[in-house]
Amino acid sequence: MTNYYQKEIETASRDEILRIQNEKIRKQVKHVYENVPYYRNLMEEKGLTPEDIQGVDDIKKLPFLSKADLRDAYPYGLLGVDLKDCVRIQSTSGTTGKRVVAFYTQPDVDLWEECCARAIVAAGGNEDDVVQVAYGYGLFTGGAGLHGGSHKVGCLTLPMSSGNTERQIQFMMDLDATILCCTPSYAAFIGESLAERGYKPEDNKLKAGIFGAEPWTEEMRQSIQKSLGIKAYDIYGLTETSGPGVAFECEAQSGMHINEDHFYAEIIDPDTGEVLPEGSKGELVFTALDKEAFPLLRYRTRDICVLTREKCPCGRTHVKMSKPMGRSDDMLIIRGVNVFPSQIETVLLNEGYTPNYQIEIGRKNNTDTLDIYVEADPTKISDKIADIQDMENGLASAMRTMLGIGPKIHLVPPKTITRSEGKAVRVIDNRKLHD
């Protein structure tokens, strides 16, 4: 039997969803126009006033927001309320060291947690469950979102954060955790770690997992389900629009329902910005319909996917998005962290290296690996292994500070990284992330 957290809205008719969206977008555009000068200027450049937006059909008239806008407006330029009305920030890494800082009022937090609660209930959760949250806590949205959603549902919440696998397993087994929330790669690692300790899948009480923050394949889903003895559900979100819970999978496991009463989704041609018809593959664009503190309109996610309104056996009527099939920019997601080649270039230049480098990403034991090959400066190269190791370690430390994850650095002789007459091949991604 299908369960819902908020059945009336999750199974609302298309007409009712449109009525809610039209009412909210009129109010939201007015709010943004009056309170966010940065976006008001973008609207004025296009000759738009709030009266021009009478419903979601008019959204296509509005200007886009991109990651570059967030960087330009950092930290307060897109704030939609007085700072005293904000109760929290969350943050993600930025392309050149400037981070995306998203602000939340208490209603924004409540809205976000309700979206995560819907995801937990869609995965079979209720007040009798024990939810183990092994996403990172802190600035990262994963831990905070699922933690709050678990509370809304009334589950016993284990705020584990990521890492310390020995303790994860101890609490999972001793406290009979029933739902695991973490990145898919960490879920796979927990599964392997349980097997190494002699546990069989039937020895744990887990029934479901809610996994997101990084790309994962259907093959990986099947592997996790087998190793943990669970049903594995995908969840999608961005710090910019609130965090995980913007969309989530139901028992059909055939795409993620977007919470359309809070987020309006479009698919555009990434090159022209033209809105594409339903069922087209293109770049996903989100408008936050009722966020107060950080109310982004037409935010370009750079994720490539497809939207579908095919009837879902779960009874939910909200549009479904496919798993992201790639990116329309050069961002990489490695171990759940956003990494841009431009960040790596910035570190190299700051540390006195030439920007001749190559990034190699792999996957070992279901965990992403990051190797960066860097041409050494001929004037600084040493034939002493210890000196080279010191240089590699120093560069790895600087990279970790910038990226938030530690790569393995390989200093190579000058002129050994292949030059290209066209666009340099900076990234070799050996992971099989999608078919």
Side-chain angles (χ1 to χ4, degrees):
M1 189 186 84
T2 299
N3 291 314
Y4 310 97
Y5 180 67
Q6 293 162 318
K7 184 176 181 180
E8 193 175 327
I9 186 61
E10 291 180 65
T11 60
S13 69
R14 182 83 194 111
D15 286 346
E16 176 61 11
I17 291 170
L18 274 172
R19 186 194 66 76
I20 292 168
Q21 290 180 327
N22 287 335
E23 187 180 300
K24 286 187 175 183
I25 193 62
R26 286 193 294 270
K27 187 177 172 187
Q28 185 72 310
V29 169
K30 188 171 185 291
H31 167 60
V32 171
Y33 189 85
E34 290 174 355
N35 295 289
V36 184
Y38 187 96
Y39 199 79
R40 181 170 65 244
N41 291 339
L42 293 179
M43 285 181 66
E44 286 174 348
E45 282 171 18
K46 296 192 82 170
L48 291 171
T49 66
E51 289 68 40
D52 293 312
I53 312 300
Q54 289 301 308
V56 290
D57 284 346
D58 294 326
I59 280 181
K60 59 182 177 288
K61 297 177 184 175
L62 291 168
F64 293 111
L65 278 173
S66 68
K67 202 92 166 193
D69 290 303
L70 270 58
R71 194 165 61 242
D72 292 345
Y74 172 92
Y76 297 122
L78 289 167
L79 189 61
V81 296
D82 288 341
L83 201 56
K84 66 177 174 55
D85 295 324
C86 297
V87 296
R88 189 191 304 171
I89 68 151
Q90 302 284 162
S91 176
T92 185
S93 61
T95 55
T96 53
K98 271 191 183 177
R99 306 178 75 88
V100 171
V101 176
F103 298 85
Y104 299 74
T105 62
Q106 189 56 52
D108 290 339
V109 173
D110 291 339
L111 176 160
W112 175 25
E113 291 178 349
E114 281 181 4
C115 289
C116 289
R118 291 180 191 178
I120 290 168
V121 174
N126 59 44
E127 65 273 8
D128 297 324
D129 280 293
V130 179
V131 175
Q132 182 157 340
V133 183
Y135 283 110
Y137 278 67
L139 290 171
F140 178 62
T141 54
L146 273 302
H147 179 104
S150 175
H151 276 225
K152 292 270 189 197
V153 177
C155 310
L156 175 63
T157 309
L158 309 184
M160 303 298 295
S161 195
S162 54
N164 200 331
T165 306
E166 197 65 51
R167 188 174 61 192
Q168 299 275 4
I169 289 172
Q170 181 192 340
F171 276 60
M172 179 185 293
M173 304 305 288
D174 292 351
L175 294 169
D176 293 334
T178 55
I179 299 176
L180 175 64
C181 303
C182 61
T183 62
S185 56
Y186 193 49
F189 183 70
I190 289 174
E192 290 170 7
S193 300
L194 282 165
E196 285 168 5
R197 288 159 177 78
Y199 290 111
K200 296 183 177 67
E202 59 268 25
D203 293 336
N204 70 64
K205 293 290 196 301
L206 292 173
K207 64 180 184 183
I210 299 174
F211 308 131
E214 64 188 14
W216 52 309
T217 58
E218 190 57 36
E219 292 79 7
M220 191 169 181
R221 187 207 299 267
Q222 299 303 330
S223 172
I224 292 169
Q225 290 187 154
K226 190 176 174 185
S227 71
L228 290 173
I230 62 171
K231 195 160 179 175
Y233 296 82
D234 208 347
I235 191 168
Y236 177 89
L238 308 120
T239 301
E240 297 92 322
T241 53
S242 70
V246 170
F248 60 87
E249 265 188 329
C250 61
E251 67 249 32
Q253 293 177 304
S254 59
M256 292 170 275
H257 290 281
I258 293 169
N259 284 307
E260 285 193 277
D261 52 325
H262 298 306
F263 304 100
Y264 181 77
E266 303 169 88
I267 294 290
I268 65 164
D269 180 315
D271 296 323
T272 66
E274 177 195 357
V275 179
L276 299 176
E278 187 183 315
S280 303
K281 179 178 171 182
E283 182 184 337
L284 183 61
V285 172
F286 273 122
T287 292
L289 294 171
D290 41 15
K291 275 200 74 182
E292 296 175 335
F294 203 61
L296 300 190
L297 304 181
R298 299 200 87 197
Y299 180 68
R300 295 187 61 162
T301 68
R302 298 295 180 180
D303 284 322
I304 302 295
C305 72
V306 174
L307 299 182
T308 176
R309 291 198 179 278
E310 284 179 18
K311 190 174 180 183
C312 187
C314 79
R316 289 177 180 81
T317 51
H318 294 213
V319 69
K320 285 204 287 196
M321 60 176 278
S322 67
K323 272 181 178 291
M325 303 164 177
R327 302 275 307 169
S328 68
D329 63 2
D330 60 353
M331 189 181 88
L332 306 163
I333 302 176
I334 304 170
R335 285 177 242 151
V337 175
N338 298 348
V339 173
F340 290 84
S342 56
Q343 292 174 301
I344 289 166
E345 215 160 282
T346 299
V347 173
L348 292 177
L349 294 168
N350 287 345
E351 297 292 316
Y353 291 86
T354 63
N356 293 315
Y357 65 95
Q358 199 158 54
I359 305 162
E360 190 169 333
I361 311 160
R363 183 160 276 176
K364 189 175 180 184
N365 297 329
N366 284 310
T367 300
D368 293 339
T369 58
L370 175 59
D371 291 80
I372 304 175
Y373 296 84
V374 180
E375 287 188 4
D377 184 330
T379 63
K380 296 178 183 175
I381 198 72
S382 167
D383 55 4
K384 291 181 182 172
I385 291 174
D387 289 346
I388 293 171
Q389 285 177 339
D390 283 347
M391 291 168 75
E392 288 175 340
N393 291 341
L395 200 46
S397 176
M399 291 287 182
R400 180 186 287 277
T401 300
M402 169 67 89
L403 305 177
I405 56 171
K408 183 161 179 52
I409 300 291
H410 307 267
L411 284 179
V412 298
K415 304 275 194 265
T416 54
I417 291 176
T418 307
R419 302 296 195 269
S420 168
E421 290 180 11
K423 192 175 178 182
V425 181
R426 294 287 188 214
V427 180
I428 299 169
D429 194 338
N430 294 317
R431 300 172 295 179
K432 185 176 181 295
L433 297 176
H434 51 82
D435 297 322

